[in-house]
Amino acid sequence: MNNQNFILIKGKPFYYEAQKLILNEVPTITFEQARDILFFAKELLDEKNIEFNLIYGTLLGAIRERSFISHDYDVDIFIKDQEALMNAIPEFYKKGFKLCRVEENRLYSFMVNGVYIDIYIMKKAPFFFNWWCYSLNGNIIPKKYLKESEKIEFVGAMFNVPKDPIRLIKFFYGKNWKTPIKGAHGRYSIYPVHFYRKFKKYLFTLIKRQ
């Protein structure tokens, strides 16, 4: 379902066709589709000097399979410079890199020919977490996993990934990360989400007891 929405860029509204992307309703993407949209994103972001890293299922595929995960739905990257991305959106849109979903300060999705890429924003973590953690799409992740990057060769080009990516992948997916599990590679199944939700539930329980 599409509907027109807008975001403010430099104080002015920018209108785009918003789409509701529901995983079980989105078809899996082919290797060629995933590579094409990743390379398109790389071209545009490199032109604007916006550094990005592979993350989530795309990172897992790059390390485990040296390719995209065969049953994935999209491509996942993250950036630190949200303002630079925001300012570039109108130009990207004109070039066919269409903004299609916004979760403000967390996630911007772009679509090309029915295939989409999620660009996550790395932010300071909230509360007392921020001295040792970052926030990525609202998930609390220790800084040691994301603070530095290294380059790897992936599907014919060089890409940034978090330094020592296997360490981060184990943190996300556990010790059995080498075993493909269809439908269980995405950001909703990673360990940080599970433990952060448990922590919040525990914290709220303590508050109610006061």
Side-chain angles (χ1 to χ4, degrees):
M1 181 182 296
N2 299 0
N3 63 288
Q4 193 171 64
N5 208 340
F6 74 91
I7 55 174
L8 293 177
I9 300 177
K10 296 182 178 179
K12 297 181 180 180
F14 174 81
Y15 291 89
Y16 65 97
E17 293 297 321
Q19 298 200 28
K20 191 172 183 180
L21 303 174
I22 302 173
L23 285 185
N24 60 7
E25 296 178 4
V26 176
T28 57
I29 56 176
T30 66
F31 172 88
E32 289 76 16
Q33 288 173 322
R35 181 187 58 194
D36 288 350
I37 196 168
L38 177 60
F39 275 44
F40 193 13
K42 176 177 170 56
E43 176 186 340
L44 296 175
L45 293 170
D46 285 352
E47 285 178 359
K48 297 298 181 181
N49 294 313
I50 302 174
E51 292 187 5
F52 69 92
N53 284 253
L54 307 183
I55 197 65
Y56 295 131
T58 305
L59 176 64
L60 178 61
I63 300 302
R64 187 179 69 197
E65 300 168 23
R66 299 294 189 267
S67 185
F68 297 100
I69 293 174
S70 60
H71 53 271
D72 212 343
Y73 303 91
D74 63 357
V75 173
D76 302 309
I77 64 177
F78 79 87
I79 66 170
K80 301 175 184 178
D81 194 343
Q82 180 181 1
E83 183 178 1
L85 177 66
M86 291 281 290
N87 291 339
I89 284 174
E91 183 178 336
F92 289 176
Y93 207 82
K94 290 177 182 177
K95 293 182 177 181
F97 199 65
K98 303 289 189 179
L99 183 67
C100 65
R101 176 174 59 177
V102 174
E103 295 180 14
E104 194 169 0
N105 297 319
R106 294 173 59 170
L107 165 68
Y108 296 82
S109 298
F110 296 83
M111 184 168 285
V112 181
N113 297 325
V115 177
Y116 71 98
I117 182 171
D118 285 336
I119 302 182
Y120 297 94
I121 309 299
M122 191 177 84
K123 310 286 285 186
K124 289 182 178 179
F127 314 122
F128 54 85
F129 289 104
N130 86 10
W131 69 273
W132 66 283
C133 291
Y134 291 121
S135 175
L136 191 64
N137 194 42
N139 302 324
I140 304 303
I141 301 173
K143 289 182 178 180
K144 65 181 181 180
Y145 296 120
L146 299 175
K147 192 173 185 179
E148 298 180 84
S149 299
E150 64 184 57
K151 287 188 178 295
I152 65 168
E153 193 280 330
F154 178 54
V155 294
M158 300 302 295
F159 291 93
N160 287 329
V161 298
K163 190 173 182 179
D164 194 359
I166 291 178
R167 181 178 63 167
L168 174 60
I169 289 170
K170 286 180 179 178
F171 175 72
F172 277 169
Y173 304 106
K175 63 182 181 180
N176 295 321
W177 66 274
K178 291 184 179 180
T179 303
I181 303 174
K182 187 173 182 178
H185 61 270
R187 60 190 171 89
Y188 296 109
S189 62
I190 64 174
Y191 283 11
V193 180
H194 170 70
F195 289 117
Y196 183 50
R197 286 175 178 166
K198 284 187 68 174
F199 171 80
K200 287 198 297 184
K201 184 177 180 180
Y202 174 71
L203 184 61
F204 291 150
T205 301
L206 288 180
I207 292 172
K208 288 179 180 180
R209 290 176 180 173
Q210 300 302 317

